[in-house]
Amino acid sequence: MPTHDVLVIGAGLAGQRAALAAAEQGVSVGILSKVHPVRSHSNAAQGGINAALNPGDSWESHAFDTVKGSDYLGDQDAISIMCEEAPEEILHLEHLGVTFHRNEEGKLGTRAFGGASAARTYYVADITGQAIMHVLYEQLMKHSEQVSRYEEWFCSALALDEAGECCGVVTRNVADGSMQLFTAKAVILACGGNGQVWQPTTNALICTGDGIAMAYRAGAKLMDMEMIQYHPTTLAKKGFLITEGARGEGAHLLNAKGDRFMERYAPNKMELASRDVVSRAEQTEIDEGRGFPDGTVALDVTVVPKKRVHEALREIVLVGKDFAGVDITREPIRIKPGNHYTMGGVKTDVDGRTEVPGLYAAGEVACVSVHGGNRLGANSLLDTLIFGRRSGADAAARAKRVDAARPSAGVLEAEQASADAILARQKGSGRRVSEIKAELGATMDKHVAVFRNEGGIQEALETVRRLKEEAASAYVDDKGSVFNQDLLAAIELGYMLDNAECTCVAALERRESRGAQYRTDFPERNDAEWLKHIDLQRGDDGPELSYSEVTITQWEPEERKY
Amino acid sequence: MAEYTLKVRRYQPESGEGAFWEEFKVDLDPSLSVLDGILQAKDREDGSLAVRCSCRAAICGSCGMKVNGQSGLGCKTQIGHAHEQANRRNGGGEPIVVEPMGNMPVLKDLIVDMESTHWEKIRRVTPWLLPHGEPPEREYVVEPESMIDVTQSMACIQCGACVSSCLSMEADPEFIGPAALAKAYRFVGDPRDAESVERLHDLAHDPHGIYDCTHCFSCIDACPKGVAPMDQIMRLRRRASEAGIDDDPNNGHNHSQAFVKMIEKKGTNDEALLIQESYAPGLKGKLKPSKGAIEGLVKSLPTVLRAIRTGKARSLSKLIPGVHPKLPGGAQEEVKAIYAHAEEHREEFNIYIRGEEDVEPEPDETATEETTA
């Protein structure tokens, strides 16, 4: 039974940052991930990371842009902390070795990004997430004495003690199938979002909402689960991401007639309005017949100087070439809005503490809430690092304070039995896991996407509940122990269905349009009734609803125009 | 939609059987990837078919594998292309051959043990920044070009395709290898690192280090991200050379110097002199050969004889020194002009500066540059 003071689940940016911050406090740290850490999805963040570090810029301006971007659903105390601490974090990363882009003076250089009133996005070409994550992994290798790495260990449940405090996690070593209970005085969930609930999605296959579901099952509250970001520029077929950095560098959006249609939706910010606004504009063009026959509009990167494309947008040149057969330096590429980011998640305070004592959450799995109804581009990396660090530090402080973990008896045995039960299902007993997953993805993309209405969401919810029943008998082919990915997919399917159910319930409840939640049956924002968070907690018959206040410090809600 | 056959090399460790081949029929758009094909087989037919994968978009580096013998990422190899390639090689109706990566032990089907090979080698190069003193209050101020220079090796996603394809590693499993050496350049080339010279000494003096690469270009072909690991190894060699490190145990530095000088002088490789020049350069070296030079020359004899026997070097009669043919006409002067030009325009090829297949500027671009200039 491996024991650590602090256990981090997930090893993307939030998890690695949390582990390093906890280790700095001198406690023993373990970090677990179902994939090798550098395979984590933080890799995919291309564009950059925001911070008000330039002379003349201010954290207040960054915070206001974030509040406005969130459609006033973000908590302003948390946003202030994030924006105030951002510059120091960028400098810390630079000192660790991140190869940030430099200006002509050799100092940190910035690029423009959506929804921002100043160019404050720091970047490494268009591999910013990858570059930062690999540098943090370098630090994990450097500090291997303080931080134990468990690479390719899958988590199936959180362990609680008799008092209901979180004190560990049940894991499965993917390489050999052995199951173990890891104990800790504090557990930090840092295992990302739930994009795989939708098909297509920009998200990796590993983004199955594991942490959100495990926390929910352990009794933690979820918040803002209806807020799912559709990114304006994704490839039609497979949903791959084209960075917002492309528009930051000056690329245009064109409909099939060749019109720069953003003129009609956001005359001031044009292509750099916030993502929910741009995605809705595109979807409207497509729905009203001004898109291309394959349900897309075009992104024209040819207007960006070639030298700049090679220096700053090389990754998407490769994406265009390899996955769409298009040379973006020579012709426009077809794109459409696609599932991208989970704004909601496990409800936490500004130190990552959830409603379950001992359980923390940071990064996309969490909802602090700094993104509210819509996340600004280049704020997600920042979120992972700031709240990863704060969670790590607070978890370490807790570990110094509390007694050794004493998990309730039987938690490991129960999980083992549940895995064995999945393996024991007879062939022909039910549908294949992959079929259920495909139906879930298509349903959610149809009904809980850019435009939503009561009938559609209700239909999605009913489908999800039927799929839950079907998932209980889904058959797996692989009966072995070594790298049994089939079994893990069955467990992940359960996680995804819990996520989907919560999103549908919250989307149905919020009878207004705010940020990413656009209800065609309630097209206006309604501050009088809905300027509040929707919280969900597991009940006997599914998620139970409650509400919490949005923290407003200095920015009163006003109409949002770009 | 089109039908393809994937012939997958499988290994199920719990079966007690050895590796075996299995064919899967899949049905998908030719623009989709070999990984998509494998996942379709896994989803529809056999969930026990094991493959690491996550992003599907050549970012995470999970799905390193060999397709038709070529190392790369399954997700970045279009299945239509792979099909055409298989047919070209074998003359029609042939399946796409999918195998686990090379140079790493296979754990199950397409999953290999990267930890004991790839990652062990990465850890070998002290893979973290080693600055001296306290960090500055703000950022380190560095040449903008230096950051772009190391960003090429920063683009590595640790997929292992280069390791899988490395011929030197096949011959010498202890070779530090293309991925780890590219990682090393990321620090050596970083002006914030204060121990670049120590790193270079370490990598040059390790007999399995920078001079263990044989210049075969396999890693450049295999790399899905344009990192060009061999180019990074060559940068390490140049930096080591500039740092005055000329006493490596593989005699690599002197060997390359001998090459450079010989071509400048004669235009082509004079095999009769190459090894002598590597160990005992110039008249001085031959009149007063060092003990190491004699030892090195004697040790090279079996290699020379083997090369003659297998036809890799010219026959013994043609290896008599002094009869090496000169280049025709003024060609030797042109070679010298190329040397002078290269010396004057020392530029590293970097995809973040000029783009991968786009080195030639567009005619209109040249025009614009001239007007601005």
Side-chain angles (χ1 to χ4, degrees):
Chain A
M1 188 167 76
T3 297
H4 293 280
D5 289 327
V6 174
L7 198 57
V8 184
I9 302 172
L13 279 187
Q16 294 195 33
R17 189 68 186 88
L20 290 165
E24 238 173 76
Q25 304 298 316
V27 300
S28 87
V29 182
I31 183 165
L32 274 123
S33 170
K34 66 177 176 178
V35 291
H36 187 284
V38 306
R39 314 292 174 219
S40 304
H41 193 55
S42 307
N43 259 340
Q46 299 171 343
I49 176 167
N50 287 331
L53 187 57
N54 275 333
D57 200 359
S58 69
W59 73 259
E60 288 91 344
S61 165
H62 180 189
F64 171 71
D65 290 342
T66 304
V67 169
K68 180 181 170 188
S70 81
D71 221 348
Y72 295 89
L73 190 64
D75 286 314
Q76 298 182 6
D77 54 341
I79 290 172
S80 295
I81 287 175
M82 180 175 83
C83 298
E84 237 184 312
E85 295 182 0
E88 199 185 321
E89 188 64 28
I90 299 284
L91 292 175
H92 175 67
L93 295 172
E94 199 278 329
H95 296 158
L96 290 182
V98 176
T99 58
F100 282 118
H101 173 82
R102 307 290 158 146
N103 61 23
E104 283 174 2
E105 295 170 14
K107 296 178 180 165
L108 294 174
T110 51
R111 67 160 43 129
F113 237 64
S117 51
R120 63 167 74 94
T121 303
Y122 294 86
Y123 65 100
V124 181
D126 53 358
I127 56 166
T128 313
Q130 175 191 326
I132 298 176
M133 195 166 75
H134 281 247
V135 167
L136 290 189
Y137 189 67
E138 290 166 13
Q139 295 298 310
L140 282 188
M141 290 190 277
K142 181 179 176 185
H143 297 289
S144 60
E145 303 249 308
Q146 294 95 330
V147 184
S148 307
R149 303 193 302 275
Y150 301 92
E151 298 169 350
E152 298 189 312
W153 287 69
F154 183 92
C155 296
S156 66
L158 296 168
L160 304 181
D161 65 14
E162 297 299 334
E165 303 201 354
C166 186
C167 59
V169 60
V170 181
T171 63
R172 179 183 180 90
N173 182 348
V174 178
D176 66 12
S178 62
M179 291 186 70
Q180 288 212 48
L181 174 60
F182 281 53
T183 60
K185 294 175 184 173
V187 174
I188 303 174
L189 291 171
C191 35
N194 60 21
Q196 280 293 318
V197 171
W198 284 259
Q199 296 297 339
T201 172
T202 63
N203 283 204
L205 296 167
I206 53 174
C207 302
T208 47
D210 304 13
I212 294 174
M214 281 190 286
Y216 173 68
R217 291 173 188 182
K221 271 188 182 167
L222 308 181
M223 188 165 89
D224 298 347
M225 284 295 287
E226 68 279 23
M227 296 302 179
I228 299 296
Q229 182 164 78
Y230 267 59
H231 192 288
T233 52
T234 69
L235 292 185
K237 231 180 299 174
K238 294 174 83 177
F240 291 163
L241 176 68
I242 303 287
T243 175
E244 184 166 303
R247 284 171 287 138
E249 299 291 343
H252 295 168
L253 288 170
L254 307 173
N255 63 20
K257 295 172 174 172
D259 295 336
R260 234 182 126 186
F261 57 85
M262 285 309 297
E263 281 166 1
R264 283 179 277 117
Y265 301 90
N268 297 320
K269 297 295 286 185
M270 298 290 287
E271 282 84 358
L272 290 179
S274 66
R275 288 178 176 175
D276 57 329
V277 173
V278 181
S279 284
R280 268 195 298 280
E282 289 176 3
Q283 196 62 53
T284 306
E285 292 296 302
I286 294 163
D287 292 349
E288 293 179 358
R290 291 186 296 277
F292 294 99
D294 60 346
T296 59
V297 290
L299 176 73
D300 185 5
V301 187
T302 63
V303 294
V304 181
K306 246 187 191 179
K307 176 174 182 285
R308 201 51 203 151
V309 174
H310 287 312
E311 178 180 295
L313 299 170
R314 197 183 79 91
E315 186 62 31
I316 62 163
V317 175
L318 294 181
V319 169
K321 191 180 80 181
D322 295 332
F323 301 111
V326 173
D327 179 352
I328 62 160
T329 65
R330 289 168 202 275
E331 55 177 319
I333 188 167
R334 305 275 181 90
I335 50 88
K336 67 169 193 175
N339 174 278
H340 183 56
Y341 187 82
T342 316
M343 265 85 68
V346 184
K347 183 183 175 78
T348 73
D349 68 9
V350 295
D351 290 311
R353 288 181 283 224
T354 72
E355 306 261 322
V356 175
L359 181 64
Y360 292 74
E364 194 171 345
V365 66
C367 182
V368 187
S369 142
V370 286
H371 308 304
N374 172 66
R375 174 175 71 74
L376 289 192
N379 265 355
S380 64
L381 293 185
L382 185 59
D383 170 19
T384 62
L385 293 161
I386 298 292
F387 295 104
R389 172 172 56 72
R390 293 179 68 95
S391 300
D394 201 83
R398 174 186 158 88
K400 288 178 182 170
R401 204 169 58 229
V402 302
D403 295 333
R406 299 169 68 151
S408 307
V411 52
L412 175 62
E413 292 72 14
E415 284 304 304
Q416 181 76 60
S418 141
D420 291 346
I422 294 173
L423 294 176
R425 289 174 197 160
Q426 293 300 310
K427 190 160 195 166
S429 64
R431 299 176 78 187
R432 295 184 74 82
V433 169
S434 54
E435 272 175 37
I436 300 175
K437 188 183 165 189
E439 189 180 348
L440 171 68
T443 304
M444 295 298 283
D445 192 56
K446 187 173 174 197
H447 296 303
V448 198
V450 177
F451 292 112
R452 308 168 173 182
N453 63 58
E454 184 181 335
I457 304 169
Q458 190 65 50
E459 197 182 319
L461 181 58
E462 280 159 22
T463 305
V464 168
R465 288 185 169 152
R466 170 173 54 79
L467 294 177
K468 274 186 130 171
E469 283 171 29
E470 293 176 0
S473 61
Y475 173 75
V476 299
D477 298 318
D478 197 335
K479 305 295 184 192
S481 306
V482 177
F483 285 95
N484 189 335
Q485 300 173 321
D486 221 9
L487 170 67
L488 302 187
I491 300 172
E492 288 171 340
L493 178 64
Y495 291 153
M496 285 191 279
L497 288 162
D498 278 359
N499 278 264
E501 186 181 24
C502 291
T503 293
C504 290
V505 166
L508 208 51
E509 176 67 5
R510 184 173 288 281
R511 289 180 293 279
E512 65 152 356
S513 291
R514 181 186 300 274
Q517 157 97 345
Y518 192 94
R519 289 279 299 257
T520 51
D521 43 354
F522 298 95
E524 300 298 321
R525 194 175 90 189
N526 178 353
D527 287 344
E529 284 178 74
W530 290 106
L531 184 59
K532 58 188 177 187
H533 296 292
I534 296 174
D535 297 346
L536 298 171
Q537 203 163 14
R538 190 187 197 189
D540 293 337
D541 308 309
E544 283 172 4
L545 288 156
S546 56
Y547 307 98
S548 55
E549 292 292 310
V550 174
T551 309
I552 292 177
T553 56
Q554 49 176 309
W555 297 285
E556 285 301 319
E558 50 187 55
E559 197 193 342
R560 207 161 60 121
K561 276 190 188 153
Y562 285 101
Chain B
M1 293 298 230
E3 273 212 4
Y4 301 101
T5 305
L6 295 171
K7 183 179 172 187
V8 184
R9 187 173 171 85
R10 301 199 61 184
Y11 169 61
Q12 295 274 314
E14 293 163 277
S15 69
E17 307 288 323
F20 60 100
W21 292 98
E22 185 168 3
E23 295 198 354
F24 295 94
K25 295 248 183 293
V26 294
D27 181 25
L28 64 169
D29 191 282
S31 71
L32 295 178
S33 69
V34 170
L35 176 66
D36 288 321
I38 295 168
L39 291 179
Q40 190 184 91
K42 185 178 168 84
D43 280 353
R44 292 185 186 170
E45 271 185 72
D46 185 356
S48 75
L49 177 58
V51 57
R52 285 195 186 103
C53 58
S54 181
C55 76
R56 307 157 296 138
I59 312 168
C60 76
S62 300
C63 66
M65 60 181 72
K66 283 185 184 172
V67 178
N68 297 325
Q70 169 73 30
S71 299
L73 293 176
C75 71
K76 198 172 178 274
T77 312
Q78 286 187 357
I79 198 161
H81 286 170
H83 173 71
E84 285 164 25
Q85 187 190 41
N87 279 341
R88 254 199 324 276
R89 281 200 191 161
N90 305 313
E94 290 295 322
I96 298 164
V97 178
V98 180
E99 297 166 86
M101 287 197 286
N103 285 330
M104 289 176 265
V106 178
L107 297 175
K108 179 180 180 179
D109 294 340
L110 300 173
I111 297 179
V112 297
D113 177 7
M114 290 189 73
E115 173 52 32
S116 70
T117 47
H118 175 83
W119 287 107
E120 190 67 36
K121 289 170 191 292
I122 293 285
R123 290 190 291 269
R124 157 72 184 79
V125 302
T126 320
W128 48 82
L129 195 75
L130 295 169
H132 277 181
E134 285 297 302
E137 203 165 297
R138 293 271 303 197
E139 67 270 36
Y140 288 95
V141 177
V142 295
E143 288 294 320
E145 291 74 22
S146 65
M147 284 293 112
I148 296 176
D149 180 40
V150 291
T151 295
Q152 185 170 11
S153 50
M154 218 44 238
C156 171
I157 55 175
Q158 310 295 347
C159 67
C162 59
V163 173
S164 165
S165 74
C166 179
L167 297 177
S168 291
M169 205 182 287
E170 235 175 89
D172 173 16
E174 287 183 65
F175 177 37
I176 296 176
L181 289 173
K183 184 85 178 169
Y185 183 73
R186 174 251 173 287
F187 300 104
V188 168
D190 193 322
R192 296 169 296 183
D193 194 275
E195 303 200 12
S196 296
V197 176
E198 289 81 354
R199 289 177 190 272
L200 289 168
H201 273 282
D202 170 36
L203 297 172
H205 287 130
D206 186 328
H208 314 287
I210 52 178
Y211 290 108
D212 206 13
C213 163
T214 57
H215 254 146
C216 76
F217 285 78
S218 292
C219 59
I220 296 186
D221 277 350
C223 177
K225 303 305 285 188
V227 172
M230 192 193 87
D231 285 356
Q232 311 303 329
I233 298 174
M234 295 310 129
R235 283 173 200 182
L236 288 170
R237 288 187 184 178
R238 272 196 291 281
R239 294 267 181 144
S241 189
E242 283 161 16
I245 303 169
D246 58 3
D247 56 345
D248 63 271
N250 297 21
N251 200 38
H253 170 266
N254 295 336
H255 187 66
S256 70
Q257 288 302 310
F259 246 113
V260 170
K261 284 188 182 139
M262 183 173 291
I263 303 299
E264 187 177 16
K265 207 167 148 196
K266 303 190 174 184
T268 55
N269 179 19
D270 185 349
E271 288 163 347
L273 287 177
L274 179 64
I275 291 181
Q276 300 177 40
E277 288 297 314
S278 301
Y279 284 102
L283 194 60
K284 197 176 150 201
K286 281 171 204 68
L287 287 174
K288 240 183 131 183
S290 67
K291 193 168 162 246
I294 295 168
E295 206 175 296
L297 282 166
V298 171
K299 271 194 186 162
S300 302
L301 273 177
T303 314
V304 172
L305 293 174
R306 205 162 51 239
I308 293 169
R309 203 174 57 234
T310 56
K312 280 197 163 187
R314 289 179 296 167
S315 64
L316 199 56
S317 60
K318 288 190 180 162
L319 278 175
I320 299 163
V323 295
H324 189 72
K326 286 197 165 64
L327 289 182
Q332 192 55 48
E333 287 311 307
E334 286 175 37
V335 169
K336 284 188 176 154
I338 293 172
Y339 268 65
H341 182 87
E343 202 59 52
E344 206 176 313
H345 304 271
R346 273 182 172 259
E347 269 177 49
E348 299 284 357
F349 179 70
N350 184 318
I351 40 176
Y352 281 96
I353 299 171
R354 287 199 281 185
E356 203 171 12
E357 288 136 10
D358 208 37
V359 187
E360 289 294 312
E362 297 286 292
D364 55 340
E365 268 192 2
T366 334
T368 341
E369 273 169 24
E370 275 163 14
T371 16
T372 27

